[in-house]
Amino acid sequence: MNIHELFKMMTNQGASDLFLTANSVPRARINGRIQELTTEVLTREMMASVADTLLATPERKASYAENQDIDFIHEEPDKSRFRLNVFMQRETPAVVARHVHQQFKTFEELSLPAELLRQLCDRATGIVLVCGPAGSGKSTTIASMLEYINIKYDKHIVTIEDPIEFLFQNKKCIVNQRELGIDVPNYPSALKHVTQQSPDIIFIGNTRDVETMHAAMHATELGCFVLTTFHTINATQTITRIVNFFPPYLHDEVRAQLSLILKGIFSIRLVPRFDKPGRVPAYESMVVTPTISRLIREGNLKEIQNFIDEGEMFGMQSFKKSLVGLVKRGIVLEEDARKFADSKDDFDLELKGVKRFEK
């Protein structure tokens, strides 16, 4: 058994992630659940050999030796691509590999709300956030949005990623993709000069600090359309996270700025299917209407959830309604849906058709 055989086994079984650690058998995440891939236990020596094979270049080995943690894209001879994280645990290398599918799918093929996402992609300026925990489908959702723009519009797209996952071909758009550590040292450095590159759309792989968020907000004020991802679970948590990036004396100013430039937040979770093998997205969508804009500006973030719950005519939907819809259509089991709900009580009330009103 070698790493190439494991990658092949992983892809043949439709796994999204591969987990390799010493003194354990190889495991893979298949349809959201971690399962044993083989019965052969990986020794410390085997893991050291796997890490050495994957790190490959002197630059990667030097970075790993310094940080003991590295992210990069690995491509197999059959052109399969994997996003790898090699890290140390108990003084031994461990590996997590994410299979990066290169075939772009439409919103309909991904069971995503096509009309809403087209509406968000058709924006000329502002910022749209795609949110969710790791492995929730954020990258796939963003890729489908960028490919939709690539096919429909004559524009310049600049992506800043860590690392580059989906590879885009120029269609109606020109797409320039920059990778941290290879094409540019970090997000703030890339964003410092990106507006000089005449972009229409900027995709920031992950916004995780105040410098990146500030630069993204500045880019929208210069007329760019910005797409980025957050590791947050819903719209209100995302807005709170953005505001808290900044010192307290700037919170009012940041909320006022967000109320003008934020166009929408799309949060996603992948739930195991009951009707057939696989997972299906449950989602929350928030479209920034004049009312939502006012609530952001005034800092009344708790009230936003009520407007998401009742905002179907604007393309909004709450997680509880999305989950209940999947249950009622026989796609997801009730007990599985309940596990993914923000509030199990609210989910149960929605399932019974009872509305909860909050002041």
Side-chain angles (χ1 to χ4, degrees), residues 133-145:
S136 61
K138 297 186 299 297
S139 296
T140 302
T141 301
I142 287 279
S144 69
M145 295 173 76

Side-chain angles (χ1 to χ4, degrees), residues 58 110 113 258 280 329 343:
L110 294 169
L258 268 181
V280 64
R329 281 150 49 205
S343 166

Side-chain angles (χ1 to χ4, degrees), residues 156-168 175-197 202-205:
H156 179 206
I157 300 173
V158 176
T159 77
I160 306 163
E161 304 174 66
D162 181 26
I164 292 171
E165 294 192 38
F166 290 85
L167 300 176
F168 293 90
V175 187
N176 283 306
Q177 297 182 258
R178 309 187 74 192
E179 183 168 324
L180 298 196
I182 296 177
D183 304 306
V184 67
N186 50 56
Y187 283 120
S189 178
L191 289 163
K192 182 179 180 180
H193 303 289
V194 70
T195 53
Q196 307 304 315
Q197 296 153 14
I202 303 168
F203 166 51
I204 304 167

Side-chain angles (χ1 to χ4, degrees), residues 280-299:
V280 64
Y283 66 89
E284 177 190 85
S285 52
M286 186 197 81
V287 178
V288 180
T289 62
T291 299
I292 296 288
S293 178
R294 175 179 58 79
L295 293 173
I296 294 171
R297 186 171 60 253
E298 295 174 353

Side-chain angles (χ1 to χ4, degrees), residues 113-133:
E115 184 177 348
L116 169 69
L117 292 180
R118 290 191 193 103
Q119 174 188 332
L120 294 176
C121 290
D122 290 340
R123 301 281 187 177
T125 60
I127 186 167
V128 169
L129 311 174
V130 177
C131 309

Side-chain angles (χ1 to χ4, degrees), residues 26-96:
R27 289 177 166 86
R29 190 185 301 276
I30 302 172
N31 296 330
R33 295 183 171 89
I34 295 179
Q35 304 174 28
E36 292 186 0
L37 203 55
T38 74
T39 57
E40 183 175 355
V41 175
L42 296 164
T43 65
R44 294 168 68 94
E45 292 75 21
M46 291 167 72
M47 284 307 307
S49 176
V50 166
D52 188 66
T53 298
L54 294 174
L55 292 171
T57 67
E59 293 79 13
R60 285 180 188 168
K61 289 177 179 176
S63 177
Y64 177 67
E66 179 180 355
N67 303 303
Q68 298 186 330
D69 194 319
I70 184 173
D71 278 312
F72 58 94
I73 289 291
H74 169 80
E75 187 170 296
E76 284 288 281
D78 65 357
K79 302 302 181 184
S80 298
R81 284 167 59 83
F82 302 86
R83 176 174 179 162
L84 299 186
N85 180 262
V86 183
F87 59 99
M88 289 292 287
Q89 70 90 29
R90 299 175 67 177
E91 301 182 341
T92 308
V95 175
V96 175

